[in-house]
Amino acid sequence: MRTEGGVGAETRPSERSAGGWALEVELAGLRLANPTVLASGVLGTSASLLARAASSGAGAVTTKTLTLHPRRGNPNPVVVELDTGLLNSMGLPNPGLEPFLPEIRAYRSSGLRSPLIGSIWALNSEEASTMASMIQEAGANAVELNVSCPNASKDELDTIGSEQLVRELVEAVRRSVSVPVFVKLPPLHWGLTKLAGAAVDAGADVLVATNALRGMAIDVRARRPILSGITGGLSGRALKPVALRAVYELYGEFGDEIQVVGVGGVQDWRDAVEYLLAGASAVEIGTALIYRGLSVFRRVASGIEGYLREEGFHSVEEIVGAARRG
Ligand code: SIN
């Protein structure tokens, strides 16, 4: 098992340390004190949890994905811990957008500097437009449009392989807000760049790669699937090589036009640096919070700073996409 030691002593990340190694990054015009972002899902369910992530060093924070109307989500069991990661079949449980807006306002009035990204999942353009306007009005600094929930049924929203639908949803959000629009993509192999291209054409500012990978687990004694939803989204370590490849491809295809954020299995500074080298401008962290706690943000940021120092770089931007430049 890799440790967090070595590169990057446990120093507190600073925007520019005495040695001149800057962790601050710019993401679609937003300033992040460091390139770590709380991923949608794990702690983004209230203002106080978002604030805890920000106070613990997250450069930006993302809400749990919200829908226009309340959703109960799937019945238990909805989570299975595997040796390679976590499978969840949550099913987008949330109180609906309107009741959540006070949480966004409370976070924004807390004075914390880490930008808040509001994650939304919409069934059609009209919903996407309404939700995006409401979330911006409440104070979100950016909107993340989730077009890749692994637990949504095809009957609800069939975005995978449907560039036209993705284009319509992104256009609707783009028209409705002035804040940056992030689009969270699925871990496709064929078709990823087509789907991303539709989002870019429709005016997305940032591509987020990737959401969890649909998988399943079976109870051999009961002889049936463990999750009530039968399948679930696989996150954590197993997802990292897949999402890293997606970031590398997206940066290669769209890196001149748009920024990419990496998400999937970031546990330590090496994971984060791999994503930066592949072309990510920042990394989202989710599942690792369950195993490593909130200190993961500072530990990853400190490690990135140590890497920059040891390798002779002075900013995060300098290494973004470096693996493509050779
Ligand atoms: C869920 O609530 O089912 C997970 C959301 C997502 O991964 O998009």
Side-chain angles (χ1 to χ4, degrees):
M1 189 199 265
R2 278 189 269 143
T3 67
E4 297 260 340
V7 171
E10 294 301 311
T11 52
R12 235 177 124 89
S14 55
E15 289 177 15
R16 187 168 285 277
S17 66
W21 295 278
L23 281 178
E24 193 178 81
V25 292
E26 182 264 325
L27 199 54
L30 305 173
R31 305 300 309 180
L32 276 58
N34 71 73
T36 66
V37 178
L38 170 70
S40 172
V42 183
L43 286 178
T45 50
S46 70
S48 58
L49 288 171
L50 289 161
R52 279 187 65 194
S55 317
S56 302
V61 294
T62 314
T63 66
K64 165 89 181 127
T65 298
L66 296 156
T67 52
L68 187 56
H69 303 293
R71 280 174 70 108
R72 296 169 68 91
N74 289 323
N76 282 326
V78 288
V79 178
V80 189
E81 199 176 341
L82 306 172
D83 50 3
T84 50
L86 211 64
L87 261 184
N88 89 79
S89 68
M90 301 297 287
L92 298 164
N94 77 97
L97 182 57
E98 179 93 54
F100 193 81
L101 296 178
E103 304 293 332
I104 295 177
R105 292 193 190 100
Y107 175 83
R108 285 306 314 282
S109 56
S110 68
L112 287 158
R113 288 185 44 212
S114 306
L116 180 143
I117 304 161
S119 172
I120 61 169
W121 183 87
L123 286 170
N124 52 49
S125 309
E126 200 185 345
E127 271 197 18
S129 171
T130 306
M131 294 183 75
S133 315
M134 285 167 74
I135 211 161
Q136 172 176 270
E137 168 75 24
N141 303 101
V143 177
E144 182 173 280
L145 179 67
N146 178 355
V147 294
S148 49
C149 175
N151 301 317
S153 76
K154 256 175 115 111
D155 301 339
E156 283 184 300
L157 188 69
D158 189 7
T159 41
I160 312 298
S162 174
E163 292 117 54
Q164 183 54 27
L165 181 53
V166 167
R167 185 175 286 107
E168 284 169 19
L169 292 170
V170 178
E171 268 170 9
V173 174
R174 177 68 294 157
R175 271 199 310 273
S176 311
V177 295
S178 54
V179 295
V181 178
F182 294 30
V183 179
K184 188 165 185 180
L185 296 164
L188 300 176
H189 51 284
W190 307 124
L192 176 66
T193 49
K194 276 197 179 161
L195 210 62
V200 174
D201 291 347
D205 298 293
V206 174
L207 299 173
V208 180
T210 68
N211 208 323
L213 182 62
R214 192 177 284 177
M216 72 181 296
I218 292 176
D219 182 328
V220 297
R221 297 289 174 198
R223 289 183 281 284
R224 58 170 177 250
I226 297 176
L227 293 169
S228 70
I230 300 178
T231 61
L234 176 64
S235 61
R237 291 223 64 75
L239 182 60
K240 200 196 95 189
V242 177
L244 188 66
R245 180 271 305 162
V247 167
Y248 188 82
E249 279 177 16
L250 293 171
Y251 181 78
E253 192 76 21
F254 305 107
D256 293 340
E257 302 167 67
I258 194 168
Q259 286 176 292
V260 182
V261 166
V263 52
V266 174
Q267 293 196 351
D268 60 27
W269 68 267
R270 272 183 202 276
D271 298 320
V273 167
E274 278 191 72
Y275 273 109
L276 298 172
L277 295 173
S281 295
V283 291
E284 294 190 0
I285 301 178
T287 304
L289 288 160
I290 295 165
Y291 301 105
R292 304 200 167 197
L294 283 159
S295 67
V296 71
F297 294 112
R298 287 216 168 94
R299 292 165 72 91
V300 169
S302 295
I304 296 170
E305 188 170 33
Y307 175 82
L308 295 177
R309 184 172 57 240
E310 289 190 5
E311 298 292 328
F313 296 105
H314 291 88
S315 71
V316 172
E317 276 91 350
E318 277 177 80
I319 64 166
V320 170
R324 276 211 167 260
R325 297 189 287 276

